[in-house]
Amino acid sequence: MRKSPFSAAPTMAGFIWQLRSLLLYLLRQEELDDAVSLETHDDIVVSSGSGHIIAAIQTKHSWSENLLTAHSVEFWKTLRVWMYLLTKQHLSDDSMLVLSTTARLGPDLREFVDGPRRKTDIENIRQRLDAISRTSNNKECADATSDWRRLEKTQREFLVQRIRIQEAQPRLAEADELINKKLLRQAVRPQAVRLFRESLVGWFDGLIAARLSSGGCKITVAEVVEKLAELFSLQAPAALSSTQGEAEYPPLDEERRSDPPYLKQLNLLDASDEHLVNAVAMFYRARAERENWRQTRPNAALELQSYDSDLKAKWRTVRLNALRTKPPDASKLIECGWTIHGECMNYHGNISGMLVPVHVANGTYYILTNGPKTESCIGWHPDYLNLLSLRKKEDE
């Protein structure tokens, strides 16, 4: 071997995809002392706690739809990396050599998808590669084909036996979706998975950037597990103490006589009496709980002000999404209103990192529906401002 083949820099998309592949691999591992290294012996190297190479992984991200074949430059560049590892005695009998590519394979590489099993298969593939190394006129492959011919027959068959190719792997945009699915299977809440992934990826990319400055980096499965645990703890914070979850509230008929805005809002959606009774309970219990916090928490006023802003921001986002295609008829408008209401009621938020009880979250939304002309007013029906104004004029 004349020189190390690790000098070619990947494209930006290829490098980012390499990082995502690395993170996905770590998320799938179970042995805490296993480690994955980037840009050391190979694109990605999986090693045991003792430093033994379990797998050397080359990642090839491409926007091209061309097939990857036994004549392709990328295949021979990958082979050259593995030849280097072999001659430097980094590989052992149970090391795996993996090429993970977005491309599809030509017929002459299909045997590598599951890996050659029989001795005759290994010999046939070795002979095929021998022939290509002798006849190829591609200058980009010249160093690799020359290095291949220098190897002993047993060394070439050693490499062939250990090669596995993962074809048609998800491209960069799809890799994030795979991470999302992995996180969802680990019990990340669906509404939090995007922010959870962004936090994990941000930490991971920053860690790699810091460690690569020293000439290659290693990340253990234990480190990723520890970071996941930290993010999970932020996702499921402790709940605020509650003393008013069963507080008394007035009967529905009595509350109807005062005709409060939050009941008017629900009447626009033709809410059932059962739903209205629940709304009354949430409204009064939230008001009582909030007042209790003001008396017992030093920064409660500012915390509640921030919390209300958070709920209103959530409502604006939900409403905007629901109104992108505004329904034409009245029944669909009501259905749209229930969609907005339901998504908001499922959002509980937190105060100073602590979960807010359901009755406070739901009741606060009803508190914020305090009239069509106030600055903080929110509503459910798509035309709630106009309809409430009309009803007010009718009452007058």
Side-chain angles (χ1 to χ4, degrees):
M1 295 286 174
R2 289 188 291 275
K3 61 180 180 178
S4 167
F6 300 107
S7 56
T11 64
M12 180 58 72
F15 182 70
I16 295 173
W17 184 70
Q18 189 182 93
L19 298 188
R20 297 299 178 273
S21 299
L22 178 59
L23 178 55
L24 270 169
Y25 199 98
L26 284 162
L27 288 171
R28 290 167 176 157
Q29 302 315 298
E30 296 181 358
E31 297 296 329
L32 293 182
D33 62 345
D34 282 0
V36 178
S37 301
L38 180 70
E39 297 291 355
T40 51
H41 298 308
D42 207 338
D43 281 358
I44 299 172
V45 170
V46 183
S47 57
S48 66
S50 63
H52 167 70
I53 290 182
I54 299 170
I57 305 170
Q58 280 276 299
T59 56
K60 301 297 180 185
H61 182 277
S62 173
W63 304 112
S64 170
E65 298 296 331
N66 294 336
L67 292 177
L68 182 72
T69 73
H71 294 267
S72 298
V73 172
E74 292 300 330
F75 176 71
W76 279 95
K77 285 183 176 179
T78 298
L79 267 183
R80 189 166 185 248
V81 172
W82 292 335
M83 286 185 268
Y84 178 85
L85 297 181
L86 177 61
T87 58
K88 294 299 181 181
Q89 300 181 334
H90 292 308
L91 302 179
S92 60
D93 288 343
D94 57 352
S95 296
M96 292 283 293
L97 304 173
V98 181
L99 171 57
S100 182
T101 176
T102 54
R104 292 195 175 277
L105 302 184
D108 54 3
L109 289 181
R110 296 224 61 84
E111 292 160 292
F112 285 123
V113 173
D114 295 320
R117 302 298 182 190
R118 299 176 301 175
K119 182 174 176 58
T120 54
D121 295 334
I122 295 170
E123 290 177 351
N124 289 337
I125 296 171
R126 188 263 304 162
Q127 290 172 2
R128 190 186 312 154
L129 296 179
D130 287 350
I132 294 172
S133 74
R134 291 192 300 269
T135 59
S136 175
N137 294 320
N138 193 321
K139 293 182 179 179
E140 291 186 78
C141 297
D143 287 340
T145 54
S146 175
D147 290 342
W148 180 263
R149 293 193 300 273
R150 286 193 183 93
L151 293 178
E152 299 290 337
K153 174 185 172 183
T154 54
Q155 291 178 306
R156 281 174 273 158
E157 293 185 351
F158 175 91
L159 291 174
V160 168
Q161 186 177 7
R162 281 152 187 79
I163 295 173
R164 302 290 184 273
I165 301 181
Q166 300 170 339
E167 68 169 332
Q169 296 299 294
R171 289 185 170 84
L172 181 55
E174 298 167 296
D176 282 344
E177 288 304 313
L178 283 181
I179 294 175
N180 284 353
K181 290 178 182 177
K182 182 66 179 175
L183 294 175
L184 285 169
R185 285 194 292 270
Q186 294 185 2
V188 175
R189 296 195 307 273
Q191 62 268 35
V193 71
R194 182 181 63 82
L195 291 175
F196 196 104
R197 187 199 73 235
E198 289 175 355
S199 297
L200 179 63
V201 166
W203 164 80
F204 188 75
D205 290 355
L207 185 65
I208 285 177
R211 292 183 181 177
L212 275 178
S213 63
S214 61
C217 72
K218 177 184 288 187
I219 300 175
T220 64
V221 174
E223 287 180 287
V224 175
V225 170
E226 183 179 351
K227 187 61 182 181
L228 285 172
E230 177 187 328
L231 293 174
F232 273 119
S233 69
L234 294 175
Q235 180 190 235
L240 278 167
S241 60
S242 168
T243 61
Q244 304 298 318
E246 300 297 327
E248 296 292 328
Y249 56 91
L252 177 59
D253 289 342
E254 180 181 326
E255 187 71 356
R256 272 177 168 154
R257 285 194 288 273
S258 65
D259 199 22
Y262 73 97
L263 289 188
K264 290 180 181 179
Q265 294 272 12
L266 291 172
N267 285 330
L268 294 180
L269 302 181
D270 296 332
S272 66
D273 281 1
E274 181 182 3
H275 194 105
L276 294 176
V277 168
N278 180 69
V280 173
M282 295 298 103
F283 179 89
Y284 278 89
R285 288 170 177 172
R287 194 167 68 176
E289 197 80 79
R290 288 164 64 99
E291 183 57 33
N292 180 63
W293 289 345
R294 284 192 180 94
Q295 300 298 323
T296 58
R297 292 180 63 84
N299 298 317
L302 290 176
E303 288 177 333
L304 288 169
Q305 184 179 359
S306 176
Y307 182 64
D308 291 350
S309 297
D310 180 45
L311 293 192
K312 284 186 280 188
K314 176 65 176 180
W315 167 77
R316 282 191 290 269
T317 301
V318 170
R319 187 169 189 269
L320 180 62
N321 289 337
L323 296 182
R324 289 189 187 281
T325 54
K326 188 175 180 180
D329 58 85
S331 63
K332 293 296 183 181
L333 286 174
I334 289 175
E335 184 179 318
C336 181
W338 278 119
T339 298
I340 297 169
H341 178 274
E343 287 196 42
C344 287
M345 291 297 153
N346 284 330
Y347 180 75
H348 299 160
N350 68 82
I351 290 178
S352 298
M354 292 180 284
L355 289 176
V356 174
V358 174
H359 64 277
V360 176
N362 292 355
T364 296
Y365 264 121
Y366 292 133
I367 291 171
L368 293 174
T369 60
N370 60 352
K373 292 185 178 180
T374 60
E375 187 176 312
S376 59
C377 174
I378 66 174
W380 318 119
H381 192 286
D383 289 330
Y384 74 100
L385 286 173
N386 182 48
L387 292 175
L388 289 176
S389 295
L390 289 174
R391 290 193 179 189
K392 184 176 181 180
K393 289 179 181 178
E394 291 174 358
D395 293 341
E396 292 174 350

